[in-house]
Amino acid sequence: MKFKMSSNFALRTDRVEDALDFYTRVLGFDNRSTDPQSADLDASPFTFYVLPDHEPRGPVLELFVDDLEQARLELIANGCTILRWEGKGRDCYAQDPFGIVFNIWEA
């Protein structure tokens, strides 16, 4: 199975307003979203999402796969922990054995 890195990453936080202030005011990223509860930040060449979550996480990188369920099985078999798995087109979070969290997205 081949995993391909996306140019998207996210921060899941319970401090969305504080994060938006920091990333727009301090780092100067433009917020392309009109939703006051989340952000779609232009961190060229990346898209950086700041999203509300009652279970805050550090950065969440995104990986594309051709087969979501096969990816889940392969990740589990290789020591990853499934943190949230909502299915195709929704959040599917896995944490690798080194602590990095990925959102697995079927392309």
Side-chain angles (χ1 to χ4, degrees), residues 8 15 18 25 29 40 47 65-66 73 79 83-84 92 99:
N8 300 325
R15 297 177 50 205
D18 293 338
R25 184 179 57 79
F29 296 152
D40 170 355
T47 298
V65 296
D66 291 330
L73 294 173
L83 302 175
R84 178 185 297 168
C92 292

Side-chain angles (χ1 to χ4, degrees), residues 2-100:
K2 179 150 176 112
F3 290 81
K4 293 173 65 177
M5 184 66 79
S6 162
S7 62
N8 300 325
F9 68 99
L11 173 66
R12 304 296 305 225
T13 182
D14 58 358
R15 297 177 50 205
V16 171
E17 288 181 21
D18 293 338
L20 290 177
D21 177 62
F22 178 82
Y23 293 114
T24 57
R25 184 179 57 79
V26 177
L27 297 186
F29 296 152
D30 291 327
N31 185 1
R32 299 177 287 211
S33 175
T34 58
D35 183 346
Q37 295 301 309
S38 64
D40 170 355
L41 301 172
D42 181 359
S44 186
F46 302 101
T47 298
F48 177 21
Y49 296 96
V50 177
L51 304 169
D53 201 323
H54 64 280
E55 293 181 53
R57 306 188 189 287
V60 178
L61 304 178
E62 184 175 67
L63 297 174
F64 292 137
V65 296
D66 291 330
D67 185 327
L68 187 62
E69 287 309 310
Q70 181 61 37
R72 183 179 65 80
L73 294 173
E74 190 162 324
L75 291 168
I76 291 169
N78 286 282
C80 291
T81 303
I82 301 302
L83 302 175
R84 178 185 297 168
W85 204 269
E86 297 178 359
K88 187 174 180 179
R90 310 229 19 204
D91 291 341
C92 292
Y93 289 179
Q95 186 173 36
D96 75 13
F98 310 99
I100 295 177

